Amino acid sequence: MIFVAMESGYSAVVLDHFEHPRNAGEMQAPDAVGYQTNPVCGDTMRLMLRISDSTIRQAMFQTSGCPASIAASSICTEMIIGRRLEEVQDLRKEDIAEALGGLPASKVHCSVLAADALRKAIADYQQRQAASTTRA
Ligand code: FES
């Protein structure tokens, strides 16, 4: 399987995160959720965040997709845990692809999934905050 993946041009970092995904699974009662479908291929990612003091304390993901999308989801969680929302809200697909050691040209779109799911999760958190402020 690794041989097949390497034949397709994946970096060692992509293979590591694909075979040993970090922070995969479901989070109970997250503070924010971002769900995104890749318009190119239909693969999906659900990103769940635990946030306090505007800082991401925990991040977990559920991704249904190709090896690159799973690796991108995994490394994205590592890139955002412990960071403040304003530090990560502009995280780009290029940043994720670079952290993965690059992606084959045909797979560059796969890093969009994690970047967009993160943006949606942050928007979800901001909406929840605004709603709780309005109720208070
Ligand atoms: Fe769909 Fe990679 S082929 S995200």
Side-chain angles (χ1 to χ4, degrees):
M1 178 156 119
I2 290 175
F3 178 73
V4 172
M6 289 179 84
E7 281 293 299
S8 64
Y10 288 129
S11 71
V13 181
V14 171
L15 293 175
D16 181 38
H17 278 267
F18 172 56
E19 292 172 358
H20 310 285
R22 280 60 146 186
N23 305 303
E26 182 158 18
M27 179 187 294
Q28 297 302 314
D31 296 310
V33 178
Y35 183 81
Q36 180 66 24
T37 300
N38 190 320
V40 177
C41 60
D43 290 347
T44 62
M45 176 182 183
R46 185 166 180 258
L47 177 66
M48 294 146 281
L49 304 178
R50 181 103 49 230
I51 299 167
S52 63
D53 299 328
S54 298
T55 301
I56 298 172
R57 306 295 177 182
Q58 190 182 7
M60 296 188 73
F61 75 93
Q62 294 173 304
T63 294
S64 171
C66 69
S69 67
I70 290 167
S73 302
S74 171
I75 206 162
C76 176
T77 62
E78 288 198 326
M79 293 171 81
I80 63 175
I81 291 172
R83 307 268 308 274
R84 294 183 61 79
L85 294 177
E86 63 265 26
E87 291 177 320
V88 300
Q89 65 187 3
D90 294 325
L91 192 74
R92 301 167 309 143
K93 67 181 191 315
E94 291 85 359
D95 300 323
I96 295 170
E98 187 181 324
L100 287 170
L103 287 169
S106 65
K107 291 288 178 180
V108 169
H109 74 275
C110 307
S111 59
V112 176
L113 198 58
D116 286 351
L118 174 60
R119 241 173 299 290
K120 285 194 168 179
I122 291 173
D124 178 51
Y125 181 71
Q126 290 167 339
Q127 278 181 357
R128 292 185 194 206
Q129 291 294 102
S132 67
T133 304
T134 304
R135 279 196 302 270

